[in-house]
Amino acid sequence: EVHLVESGGGLVRTGGSLRLSCSASGFTSDDWALGWFRQAPGKEREEVACFSIYDRGTHYAEFVKGRFTISSDSAKSTVSLQMNSLKPEDTAVYYCVANVYGCYEDPNDYEYWGQGTQVTVSS
């Protein structure tokens, strides 16, 4: 089975940094897309960033451009999200996501989800 395991969440002050990591297992294809969504209480899940293993392309949501950086080790099937200049509005549960096609903005386009890791940014 496909499994996604996140780590790296925690509590940080405004302006601080966190690095999230996701380890994927169970895929047999080499063209995976691994990325991150987040969900704040009472809000819909929204795309944060995505990395396409096949073409090494990246996509970022507008609200994180210039602050977050996604990277991937394709050999190990892992993806990381370096989050800098964090704001209170970044507080959410962050989910590692994956599919075998590519990067998409709609959460319904991702078949595989991790359990999530909590990121809390204090003012």
Side-chain angles (χ1 to χ4, degrees):
E1 296 184 358
V2 173
H3 289 93
L4 304 175
V5 181
E6 306 101 327
S7 63
L11 174 65
V12 66
R13 291 185 176 183
T14 297
S17 299
L18 285 173
R19 185 176 180 86
L20 306 183
S21 296
C22 175
S23 178
S25 63
F27 289 120
T28 59
S29 173
D30 293 329
D31 60 349
W32 304 346
L34 295 170
W36 297 90
F37 275 70
R38 71 185 187 185
Q39 185 171 28
K43 296 184 178 180
E44 298 293 324
R45 292 182 178 182
E46 60 183 355
E47 180 195 36
V48 177
C50 181
F51 185 96
S52 174
I53 302 299
Y54 175 74
D55 60 8
R56 300 178 182 177
T58 59
H59 176 77
Y60 295 95
E62 289 295 329
F63 56 83
V64 303
K65 285 184 176 179
R67 298 190 297 125
F68 294 5
T69 302
I70 190 169
S71 61
S72 179
D73 183 339
S74 59
K76 298 182 178 180
S77 298
T78 61
V79 64
S80 298
L81 184 70
Q82 179 65 46
M83 304 186 294
N84 299 324
S85 301
L86 284 163
K87 307 173 182 179
E89 50 263 46
D90 294 319
T91 295
V93 176
Y94 285 71
Y95 296 91
C96 181
V97 299
N99 63 37
V100 297
Y101 306 108
C103 295
Y104 301 94
E105 297 180 1
D106 190 336
N108 294 323
D109 291 326
Y110 289 89
E111 181 177 4
Y112 305 106
W113 292 73
Q115 291 297 111
T117 185
Q118 177 70 47
V119 171
T120 302
V121 184
S122 63
S123 60

